[in-house]
């Protein structure tokens, strides 16, 4: 938070990952600083808009999958700004109107939008919380009100953990959330990688770091390790565009983001 931050902790003069992603997706909830930052990213990686859309499309397919497995409660961690396409509760409630969804984010603007635009009924809530303090989210009154921890939950961490450096222990964060939920719960996770083009990703990482946004891309093995103790659902850990896709792409690695869904055994 800088001297330009509002009382809510929102600084319109610095790019923020949720708003950057919103602009990549064609949304309107972003500021000039975010748009200028995206223009620099697009110079290095012109496919970034497509890759962001493919990440959202993976989230929609994964949520639909979880709902069809009988899951009726969802916690969307690092939910970002409301999607330009379908949000989690809209996808889940196509399967069953009774689905309940908690949207959580550390960015006050994302939470304010979730509360105003998504949480329009008692089955949906928007919660402010830092992923690195799982207890704050898991013990939040709205989470306790909406989520029955004796029944399976889908925990979403989409395009999120590459904002968390190793020093903050991403595998430990995943474990703390998955320890809190019942057997049969699912983890929906996507994560940026440098595997296909390390030099290009290095240039993008420098841009993010220059804008004070950590970008901790990881290899396939490092992302797979985040699913420790869970059973991967078919087709396993793959690029977003390869996870149960409606269409096949010739060059899936261009998506630059691994995606997987896994089930808590027991
Ligand atoms: C790229 S957006 C992803 C949005 C959405 N999950 C998706 O995949 O479409 C990343 C979001 O994670 C949030 N975030 C980053 N670090 C966080 C943290 N430590 N705690 C909570 N939210 C965080 C950011 O504020 C941002 O809204």
């Amino acid at each position: 938070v800088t001297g330009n931050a509002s009382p809510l902790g929102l600084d319109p003069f610095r790019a923020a990952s949720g708003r950057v992603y919103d602009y990549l997706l064609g949304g309107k909830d972003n500021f000039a600083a975010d748009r200028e930052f995206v223009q620099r990213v697009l110079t290095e990686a012109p496919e970034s808009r497509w890759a962001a859309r493919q990440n959202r499309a993976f989230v929609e397919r994964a949520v639909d999958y979880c709902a069809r497995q009988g899951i009726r409660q969802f916690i969307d961690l690092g939910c970002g700004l409301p999607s330009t396409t379908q949000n989690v509760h809209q996808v889940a409630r196509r399967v069953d109107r009774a689905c309940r969804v908690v949207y959580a984010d550390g960015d006050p603007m994302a939470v304010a939008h979730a509360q105003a635009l998504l949480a329009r009924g008692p089955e949906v809530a928007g919660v402010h919380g830092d992923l690195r303090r799982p207890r704050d989210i898991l013990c939040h009154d709205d989470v306790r009100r909406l989520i029955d921890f004796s029944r399976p939950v889908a925990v979403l961490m989409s395009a999120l953990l590459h904002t968390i450096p190793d020093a903050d222990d991403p595998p430990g964060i995943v474990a703390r959330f998955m320890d809190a939920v019942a057997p049969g719960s699912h983890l929906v996770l996507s994560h940026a990688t440098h595997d296909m083009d390390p030099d290009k990703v290095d240039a993008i990482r420098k841009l993010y770091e220059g804008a004070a946004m950590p970008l901790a891309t990881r290899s396939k093995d490092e992302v797979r390790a985040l699913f420790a103790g869970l059973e991967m659902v078919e087709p396993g850990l793959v690029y977003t565009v390869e996870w149960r896709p409606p269409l096949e792409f010739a060059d899936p690695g261009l998506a630059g983001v691994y995606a997987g869904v896994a089930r808590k055994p027991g």
Side-chain angles (χ1 to χ4, degrees):
V1 175
T2 71
N4 292 318
S6 73
L8 279 176
L10 189 154
D11 185 348
F13 298 104
R14 275 172 52 166
S17 73
R19 301 194 309 255
V20 162
Y21 182 71
D22 174 71
Y23 184 57
L24 276 173
L25 287 169
K28 57 177 177 38
D29 300 322
N30 46 73
F31 301 125
D34 308 303
R35 296 190 285 272
E36 284 158 16
F37 180 77
V38 167
Q39 292 311 327
R40 292 205 293 277
V41 172
L42 288 172
T43 308
E44 297 292 343
E47 70 281 9
S48 298
R49 288 187 187 284
W50 171 80
R53 282 200 304 274
Q54 295 308 326
N55 183 65
R56 272 318 300 176
F58 157 70
V59 171
E60 291 176 21
R61 294 196 297 278
V63 167
D64 180 76
Y65 171 86
C66 291
R68 291 185 195 284
Q69 299 307 303
I71 294 183
R72 294 291 175 264
Q73 26 187 23
F74 297 77
I75 304 179
D76 186 2
L77 297 165
C79 59
L81 288 150
S83 170
T84 44
T85 56
Q86 293 275 292
N87 294 281
V88 171
H89 72 288
Q90 290 154 332
V91 178
R93 296 179 74 194
R94 274 202 313 248
V95 179
D96 186 337
R97 298 280 308 160
C99 286
R100 295 183 301 279
V101 178
V102 174
Y103 292 103
D105 205 288
D107 179 335
M109 182 163 154
V111 177
H113 278 68
Q115 289 171 341
L117 299 173
L118 307 180
R120 290 191 160 164
E123 312 82 7
V124 182
V127 166
H128 186 245
D130 190 325
L131 177 77
R132 292 168 296 182
R133 290 195 297 276
R135 259 187 71 85
D136 291 1
I137 296 175
L138 291 165
C139 297
H140 191 287
D141 285 350
D142 284 334
V143 176
R144 292 281 150 187
R145 174 174 64 82
L146 281 180
I147 305 294
D148 174 354
F149 282 89
S150 71
R151 302 189 61 76
V153 181
V155 177
L156 278 73
M157 298 190 187
S158 162
L160 174 62
L161 290 177
H162 51 242
T163 68
I164 307 290
D166 288 350
D168 286 327
D169 187 20
I173 293 173
V174 176
R176 287 177 67 192
F177 279 99
M178 295 313 291
D179 284 350
V181 293
S185 292
H186 284 53
L187 173 66
V188 173
L189 186 146
S190 65
H191 193 299
T193 184
H194 45 251
D195 280 354
M196 284 297 279
D197 196 340
D199 291 342
K200 180 171 72 181
V201 175
D202 205 42
I204 295 173
R205 180 180 307 112
K206 287 189 179 116
L207 285 178
Y208 272 81
E209 283 170 2
M213 289 184 283
L215 182 63
T217 59
R218 294 188 170 89
S219 68
K220 190 166 193 178
D221 283 347
E222 289 169 328
V223 177
R224 192 181 283 113
L226 298 170
F227 292 92
L230 306 173
E231 294 165 350
M232 294 302 296
V233 160
E234 285 298 318
L237 185 64
V238 291
Y239 285 109
T240 48
V241 294
E242 297 175 302
W243 202 89
R244 300 174 184 244
L247 293 172
E248 287 195 9
F249 289 95
D251 187 4
L254 200 59
V257 175
Y258 286 124
V261 177
R263 182 181 182 279
K264 179 172 175 171

